[in-house]
Amino acid sequence: MRLALTDDGHEVIEAPSGAAGLELFGAGGADVVLVDLMLPDIDGFECCRRLRRSSDVPIIMVTARTDTHDVVAGLEAGADDYVTKPFEMKELSARIRALLRRSRSAGGPAGEVIDIQDLEIRPDAGVVRRNGEALHLTRTEFRLLCELASAPDRVYSREQLLERVWGYDYFGDGRIVDVHVRRLRTKIEEDPAHPRILVTVRGLGYKIQPAP
């Protein structure tokens, strides 16, 4: 994997354990982090949670565990993507490029402010406030919110959100969208179990509701 990613133009720094990886990241940061679930000390879920406490760096879980429970747990822990072995290196490289491209791109026109109920969204500044209080969203959560909020009341299918938020060459499935919607609701909704802002349109997808 290291050789293939290096040939693809990436600088790769490896760590033999979860603790060593967290220490390396804390020392210098990274543009994107690949985390294996099966680590000798701290498992990949816990590594992901610890990274999320201090960073919104794009995270991809790379693992042989394909069970839906593991996929959901990985995304709930804060991963932006989940890749199961075996996989083609060109697919992993494409996913990395898509996440990097999305995380580096601007969120919207300079100075734009989107008001949705009690949310104030500033795409160019990467800021979301609820009732004036700043919210901490990961880059993927922020992009998902901006995409939906750019056209309130428009229904987006999971496939459309995969294309627009994760990238046109993204190879994932709808579970990633569902999990990130759930995580986003815990941050922007007063009652995530009964969302008023990011609502589900049964059989079609998701939309932002400008007013109840």
Short mmCIF file of all heavy atoms in Angstrom, two decimals, residues 98-99 101-103 105-107 139-140 142-151 154-170 177:
data_model
loop_
_atom_site.label_atom_id
_atom_site.label_comp_id
_atom_site.label_asym_id
_atom_site.label_seq_id
_atom_site.Cartn_x
_atom_site.Cartn_y
_atom_site.Cartn_z
N ALA A 98 -10.53 12.23 -3.61
CA ALA A 98 -11.85 12.85 -3.47
C ALA A 98 -11.98 13.57 -2.13
O ALA A 98 -12.46 14.70 -2.06
CB ALA A 98 -12.94 11.79 -3.61
N LEU A 99 -11.53 12.92 -1.05
CA LEU A 99 -11.62 13.55 0.27
C LEU A 99 -10.73 14.79 0.35
O LEU A 99 -11.12 15.82 0.90
CB LEU A 99 -11.25 12.56 1.37
CG LEU A 99 -12.32 11.54 1.76
CD1 LEU A 99 -11.78 10.57 2.80
CD2 LEU A 99 -13.55 12.25 2.30
N ARG A 101 -9.72 16.66 -2.15
CA ARG A 101 -10.28 17.70 -3.00
C ARG A 101 -11.43 18.41 -2.30
O ARG A 101 -11.52 19.63 -2.31
CB ARG A 101 -10.76 17.07 -4.31
CG ARG A 101 -11.27 18.05 -5.34
CD ARG A 101 -11.46 17.38 -6.70
NE ARG A 101 -12.36 16.25 -6.64
CZ ARG A 101 -11.98 14.98 -6.80
NH1 ARG A 101 -10.70 14.70 -7.00
NH2 ARG A 101 -12.85 14.00 -6.76
N ARG A 102 -12.29 17.63 -1.66
CA ARG A 102 -13.43 18.22 -0.97
C ARG A 102 -13.01 19.02 0.25
O ARG A 102 -13.57 20.07 0.55
CB ARG A 102 -14.41 17.12 -0.56
CG ARG A 102 -15.04 16.38 -1.73
CD ARG A 102 -15.96 17.30 -2.50
NE ARG A 102 -16.46 16.65 -3.70
CZ ARG A 102 -17.36 17.18 -4.50
NH1 ARG A 102 -17.85 18.36 -4.24
NH2 ARG A 102 -17.75 16.55 -5.58
N SER A 103 -12.02 18.52 0.98
CA SER A 103 -11.63 19.22 2.21
C SER A 103 -10.88 20.51 1.91
O SER A 103 -10.87 21.43 2.73
CB SER A 103 -10.74 18.31 3.07
OG SER A 103 -9.50 18.07 2.45
N SER A 105 -11.42 22.42 -0.94
CA SER A 105 -12.18 23.35 -1.75
C SER A 105 -12.96 24.31 -0.87
O SER A 105 -13.30 24.01 0.26
CB SER A 105 -13.14 22.60 -2.67
OG SER A 105 -14.10 21.89 -1.91
N ALA A 106 -13.26 25.47 -1.40
CA ALA A 106 -14.04 26.46 -0.66
C ALA A 106 -15.46 25.97 -0.52
O ALA A 106 -15.98 25.24 -1.35
CB ALA A 106 -14.01 27.80 -1.38
N GLY A 107 -16.14 26.41 0.53
CA GLY A 107 -17.50 25.95 0.77
C GLY A 107 -18.56 26.70 0.00
O GLY A 107 -19.66 26.23 -0.17
N ARG A 139 -15.20 18.18 8.53
CA ARG A 139 -15.27 18.75 7.17
C ARG A 139 -16.37 18.07 6.36
O ARG A 139 -17.08 18.73 5.60
CB ARG A 139 -13.93 18.57 6.47
CG ARG A 139 -12.82 19.35 7.13
CD ARG A 139 -11.51 19.16 6.41
NE ARG A 139 -10.42 19.73 7.18
CZ ARG A 139 -9.17 19.79 6.75
NH1 ARG A 139 -8.85 19.33 5.57
NH2 ARG A 139 -8.23 20.32 7.52
N THR A 140 -16.50 16.78 6.52
CA THR A 140 -17.53 16.07 5.76
C THR A 140 -18.92 16.48 6.23
O THR A 140 -19.83 16.71 5.42
CB THR A 140 -17.35 14.55 5.91
OG1 THR A 140 -16.07 14.18 5.40
CG2 THR A 140 -18.43 13.79 5.14
N PHE A 142 -19.69 19.32 7.56
CA PHE A 142 -19.91 20.70 7.12
C PHE A 142 -20.30 20.74 5.64
O PHE A 142 -21.22 21.46 5.24
CB PHE A 142 -18.64 21.52 7.36
CG PHE A 142 -18.78 22.96 6.99
CD1 PHE A 142 -19.50 23.83 7.80
CD2 PHE A 142 -18.22 23.45 5.83
CE1 PHE A 142 -19.65 25.16 7.46
CE2 PHE A 142 -18.35 24.78 5.48
CZ PHE A 142 -19.07 25.64 6.30
N ARG A 143 -19.60 19.97 4.83
CA ARG A 143 -19.92 19.95 3.40
C ARG A 143 -21.32 19.39 3.17
O ARG A 143 -22.05 19.85 2.30
CB ARG A 143 -18.88 19.13 2.63
CG ARG A 143 -17.53 19.80 2.54
CD ARG A 143 -16.74 19.19 1.40
NE ARG A 143 -17.47 19.33 0.15
CZ ARG A 143 -17.45 20.42 -0.60
NH1 ARG A 143 -16.77 21.47 -0.22
NH2 ARG A 143 -18.14 20.45 -1.72
N LEU A 144 -21.68 18.37 3.92
CA LEU A 144 -23.01 17.78 3.79
C LEU A 144 -24.07 18.82 4.13
O LEU A 144 -25.07 18.98 3.40
CB LEU A 144 -23.13 16.57 4.71
CG LEU A 144 -24.47 15.84 4.75
CD1 LEU A 144 -24.85 15.31 3.37
CD2 LEU A 144 -24.42 14.69 5.75
N LEU A 145 -23.86 19.55 5.22
CA LEU A 145 -24.83 20.58 5.62
C LEU A 145 -24.91 21.68 4.57
O LEU A 145 -26.02 22.12 4.20
CB LEU A 145 -24.43 21.16 6.97
CG LEU A 145 -25.32 22.29 7.50
CD1 LEU A 145 -26.76 21.82 7.68
CD2 LEU A 145 -24.76 22.85 8.81
N CYS A 146 -23.76 22.15 4.09
CA CYS A 146 -23.76 23.23 3.09
C CYS A 146 -24.46 22.79 1.81
O CYS A 146 -25.20 23.58 1.20
CB CYS A 146 -22.33 23.67 2.78
SG CYS A 146 -21.56 24.62 4.10
N GLU A 147 -24.21 21.56 1.40
CA GLU A 147 -24.84 21.07 0.16
C GLU A 147 -26.35 21.06 0.31
O GLU A 147 -27.08 21.52 -0.57
CB GLU A 147 -24.32 19.65 -0.15
CG GLU A 147 -24.72 19.14 -1.50
CD GLU A 147 -24.11 19.97 -2.63
OE1 GLU A 147 -22.92 20.28 -2.57
OE2 GLU A 147 -24.85 20.32 -3.57
N LEU A 148 -26.84 20.54 1.41
CA LEU A 148 -28.28 20.48 1.63
C LEU A 148 -28.87 21.89 1.81
O LEU A 148 -29.94 22.20 1.28
CB LEU A 148 -28.59 19.61 2.85
CG LEU A 148 -28.40 18.11 2.66
CD1 LEU A 148 -28.26 17.41 4.01
CD2 LEU A 148 -29.56 17.51 1.88
N ALA A 149 -28.15 22.73 2.55
CA ALA A 149 -28.68 24.06 2.86
C ALA A 149 -28.63 25.00 1.67
O ALA A 149 -29.31 26.03 1.66
CB ALA A 149 -27.89 24.67 4.03
N SER A 150 -27.83 24.66 0.65
CA SER A 150 -27.74 25.54 -0.52
C SER A 150 -29.05 25.56 -1.31
O SER A 150 -29.27 26.46 -2.11
CB SER A 150 -26.59 25.09 -1.43
OG SER A 150 -26.87 23.81 -1.99
N ALA A 151 -29.88 24.56 -1.09
CA ALA A 151 -31.17 24.51 -1.79
C ALA A 151 -32.23 23.97 -0.82
O ALA A 151 -32.64 22.81 -0.91
CB ALA A 151 -31.09 23.63 -3.03
N ARG A 154 -35.21 21.28 -1.24
CA ARG A 154 -34.91 20.33 -2.32
C ARG A 154 -34.53 18.98 -1.71
O ARG A 154 -33.75 18.91 -0.76
CB ARG A 154 -33.77 20.83 -3.19
CG ARG A 154 -33.31 19.77 -4.20
CD ARG A 154 -32.17 20.25 -5.05
NE ARG A 154 -31.62 19.15 -5.84
CZ ARG A 154 -30.64 19.27 -6.71
NH1 ARG A 154 -30.11 20.45 -6.95
NH2 ARG A 154 -30.20 18.21 -7.37
N VAL A 155 -35.10 17.91 -2.26
CA VAL A 155 -34.80 16.57 -1.77
C VAL A 155 -33.60 16.01 -2.53
O VAL A 155 -33.58 16.03 -3.77
CB VAL A 155 -36.01 15.63 -1.96
CG1 VAL A 155 -35.66 14.22 -1.44
CG2 VAL A 155 -37.23 16.17 -1.25
N TYR A 156 -32.60 15.56 -1.76
CA TYR A 156 -31.40 14.94 -2.34
C TYR A 156 -31.45 13.44 -2.06
O TYR A 156 -31.65 13.02 -0.91
CB TYR A 156 -30.13 15.50 -1.72
CG TYR A 156 -29.78 16.91 -2.13
CD1 TYR A 156 -30.36 18.00 -1.48
CD2 TYR A 156 -28.88 17.15 -3.15
CE1 TYR A 156 -30.04 19.29 -1.86
CE2 TYR A 156 -28.55 18.45 -3.53
CZ TYR A 156 -29.13 19.51 -2.87
OH TYR A 156 -28.82 20.79 -3.23
N SER A 157 -31.24 12.65 -3.10
CA SER A 157 -31.13 11.21 -2.88
C SER A 157 -29.76 10.90 -2.28
O SER A 157 -28.84 11.73 -2.34
CB SER A 157 -31.29 10.47 -4.21
OG SER A 157 -30.18 10.73 -5.05
N ARG A 158 -29.61 9.70 -1.73
CA ARG A 158 -28.31 9.30 -1.19
C ARG A 158 -27.25 9.33 -2.29
O ARG A 158 -26.11 9.73 -2.06
CB ARG A 158 -28.42 7.92 -0.57
CG ARG A 158 -29.25 7.87 0.69
CD ARG A 158 -29.50 6.44 1.15
NE ARG A 158 -30.24 6.40 2.41
CZ ARG A 158 -31.56 6.54 2.46
NH1 ARG A 158 -32.26 6.74 1.36
NH2 ARG A 158 -32.18 6.49 3.63
N GLU A 159 -27.61 8.88 -3.48
CA GLU A 159 -26.65 8.84 -4.59
C GLU A 159 -26.19 10.26 -4.95
O GLU A 159 -25.01 10.49 -5.23
CB GLU A 159 -27.27 8.17 -5.81
CG GLU A 159 -27.53 6.67 -5.65
CD GLU A 159 -28.72 6.37 -4.75
OE1 GLU A 159 -29.56 7.27 -4.53
OE2 GLU A 159 -28.79 5.23 -4.24
N GLN A 160 -27.12 11.21 -4.94
CA GLN A 160 -26.74 12.59 -5.25
C GLN A 160 -25.80 13.15 -4.19
O GLN A 160 -24.84 13.86 -4.50
CB GLN A 160 -27.99 13.47 -5.35
CG GLN A 160 -28.81 13.19 -6.60
CD GLN A 160 -30.14 13.93 -6.59
OE1 GLN A 160 -30.80 14.04 -5.55
NE2 GLN A 160 -30.54 14.42 -7.75
N LEU A 161 -26.07 12.84 -2.93
CA LEU A 161 -25.20 13.34 -1.86
C LEU A 161 -23.83 12.67 -1.91
O LEU A 161 -22.81 13.32 -1.65
CB LEU A 161 -25.87 13.12 -0.50
CG LEU A 161 -27.10 14.00 -0.26
CD1 LEU A 161 -27.82 13.60 1.02
CD2 LEU A 161 -26.69 15.48 -0.19
N LEU A 162 -23.78 11.38 -2.24
CA LEU A 162 -22.49 10.71 -2.40
C LEU A 162 -21.66 11.42 -3.48
O LEU A 162 -20.47 11.66 -3.31
CB LEU A 162 -22.69 9.25 -2.79
CG LEU A 162 -23.03 8.27 -1.67
CD1 LEU A 162 -23.41 6.92 -2.25
CD2 LEU A 162 -21.85 8.12 -0.72
N GLU A 163 -22.31 11.76 -4.56
CA GLU A 163 -21.60 12.41 -5.67
C GLU A 163 -21.15 13.81 -5.29
O GLU A 163 -20.02 14.20 -5.56
CB GLU A 163 -22.51 12.46 -6.89
CG GLU A 163 -21.90 13.17 -8.08
CD GLU A 163 -22.87 13.24 -9.24
OE1 GLU A 163 -23.72 12.36 -9.37
OE2 GLU A 163 -22.77 14.22 -10.02
N ARG A 164 -22.02 14.57 -4.65
CA ARG A 164 -21.73 15.98 -4.38
C ARG A 164 -20.82 16.20 -3.18
O ARG A 164 -20.03 17.14 -3.16
CB ARG A 164 -23.04 16.74 -4.16
CG ARG A 164 -23.88 16.87 -5.42
CD ARG A 164 -25.26 17.40 -5.08
NE ARG A 164 -26.09 17.58 -6.25
CZ ARG A 164 -26.17 18.70 -6.96
NH1 ARG A 164 -25.47 19.74 -6.59
NH2 ARG A 164 -26.92 18.78 -8.03
N VAL A 165 -20.93 15.35 -2.17
CA VAL A 165 -20.16 15.57 -0.94
C VAL A 165 -18.88 14.74 -0.92
O VAL A 165 -17.81 15.22 -0.53
CB VAL A 165 -21.02 15.24 0.29
CG1 VAL A 165 -20.20 15.40 1.58
CG2 VAL A 165 -22.24 16.14 0.33
N TRP A 166 -18.97 13.48 -1.36
CA TRP A 166 -17.80 12.60 -1.30
C TRP A 166 -17.00 12.61 -2.61
O TRP A 166 -15.89 12.17 -2.65
CB TRP A 166 -18.22 11.18 -0.95
CG TRP A 166 -18.42 10.99 0.52
CD1 TRP A 166 -17.52 10.46 1.42
CD2 TRP A 166 -19.58 11.32 1.29
NE1 TRP A 166 -18.05 10.45 2.68
CE2 TRP A 166 -19.33 10.97 2.64
CE3 TRP A 166 -20.82 11.87 0.98
CZ2 TRP A 166 -20.26 11.15 3.66
CZ3 TRP A 166 -21.74 12.05 1.99
CH2 TRP A 166 -21.45 11.70 3.31
N GLY A 167 -17.60 13.08 -3.70
CA GLY A 167 -16.88 13.17 -4.96
C GLY A 167 -17.49 12.30 -6.05
O GLY A 167 -18.02 11.24 -5.78
N TYR A 168 -17.36 12.77 -7.30
CA TYR A 168 -18.01 12.05 -8.40
C TYR A 168 -17.45 10.66 -8.58
O TYR A 168 -18.12 9.77 -9.12
CB TYR A 168 -17.85 12.84 -9.70
CG TYR A 168 -16.46 12.85 -10.25
CD1 TYR A 168 -16.06 11.90 -11.19
CD2 TYR A 168 -15.53 13.78 -9.83
CE1 TYR A 168 -14.77 11.90 -11.70
CE2 TYR A 168 -14.25 13.78 -10.32
CZ TYR A 168 -13.87 12.85 -11.26
OH TYR A 168 -12.61 12.84 -11.75
N ASP A 169 -16.18 10.45 -8.17
CA ASP A 169 -15.58 9.14 -8.35
C ASP A 169 -15.66 8.29 -7.08
O ASP A 169 -14.93 7.35 -6.89
CB ASP A 169 -14.12 9.26 -8.79
CG ASP A 169 -13.33 10.23 -7.91
OD1 ASP A 169 -13.90 10.75 -6.94
OD2 ASP A 169 -12.16 10.46 -8.22
N TYR A 170 -16.58 8.67 -6.19
CA TYR A 170 -16.73 7.92 -4.95
C TYR A 170 -17.42 6.58 -5.21
O TYR A 170 -18.33 6.48 -6.01
CB TYR A 170 -17.54 8.73 -3.93
CG TYR A 170 -17.61 8.03 -2.61
CD1 TYR A 170 -16.50 8.00 -1.79
CD2 TYR A 170 -18.75 7.35 -2.23
CE1 TYR A 170 -16.54 7.32 -0.60
CE2 TYR A 170 -18.79 6.66 -1.04
CZ TYR A 170 -17.69 6.66 -0.23
OH TYR A 170 -17.72 5.97 0.94
N VAL A 177 -23.87 7.89 3.91
CA VAL A 177 -24.72 9.08 3.98
C VAL A 177 -25.61 9.02 5.22
O VAL A 177 -25.71 10.00 5.97
CB VAL A 177 -25.57 9.21 2.71
CG1 VAL A 177 -26.53 10.40 2.84
CG2 VAL A 177 -24.69 9.37 1.48
#
